[in-house]
Amino acid sequence: ELELLYYNTRGIANKERLIELEEALLQSKMDIVGLSEVRRKGEEIIHRKNGNYFYYNEETQGYKGVGFYIREGLWKRVRELKKVNERICVLKIFVVSYHGN
């Protein structure tokens, strides 16, 4: 079972705003958080000190941008992170399904 969340960050262009997001997520059980309005220029995957991963992409700093915040334990299942445009990115993960009695 995966816990997913979508969040409009309204900008996490600096380190302080990213730390605020992480602190807010500490109490949650979310595995993946889809992020919009990231507002960080470029494309990067950042392995955070807490073990989680932050991915973002954006062409125009201060405007648009999307990404994901992914829990450390789920990161090994990520098969693809792909930018489509400044509003859409794709995350493909390997999911183990179990069909027991």
Side-chain angles (χ1 to χ4, degrees), residues 1 3-4 9 12 15-16 19-22 30 41 43 51-53 66 70 83 85 87 89-90 93 95 101:
E1 183 173 308
E3 298 286 332
L4 306 172
T9 67
I12 47 177
K15 187 165 87 171
E16 291 78 21
I19 290 170
E20 284 177 24
L21 173 66
E22 289 177 324
M30 295 299 143
K41 187 171 174 123
E43 181 175 24
N52 297 330
Y53 289 82
V66 291
I70 305 165
K83 171 186 171 181
N85 59 41
R87 295 281 190 196
C89 62
V90 175
I93 60 171
V95 178
N101 293 335

Side-chain angles (χ1 to χ4, degrees), residues 38-46 54-67 83 85-86 89:
V38 174
R39 300 179 187 170
R40 283 182 175 228
K41 187 171 174 123
E43 181 175 24
E44 190 172 2
I45 298 171
I46 302 171
F54 171 53
Y55 164 80
Y56 66 91
N57 75 71
E58 178 180 1
E59 295 173 11
T60 310
Q61 185 166 352
Y63 184 67
K64 302 180 186 177
V66 291
K83 171 186 171 181
N85 59 41
E86 287 185 292
C89 62

Side-chain angles (χ1 to χ4, degrees), residues 78-96:
V78 172
R79 297 295 178 248
E80 182 179 8
L81 275 170
K82 181 173 72 173
K83 171 186 171 181
V84 175
N85 59 41
E86 287 185 292
R87 295 281 190 196
I88 301 170
C89 62
V90 175
L91 169 64
K92 293 184 182 179
I93 60 171
F94 175 75
V95 178
V96 178

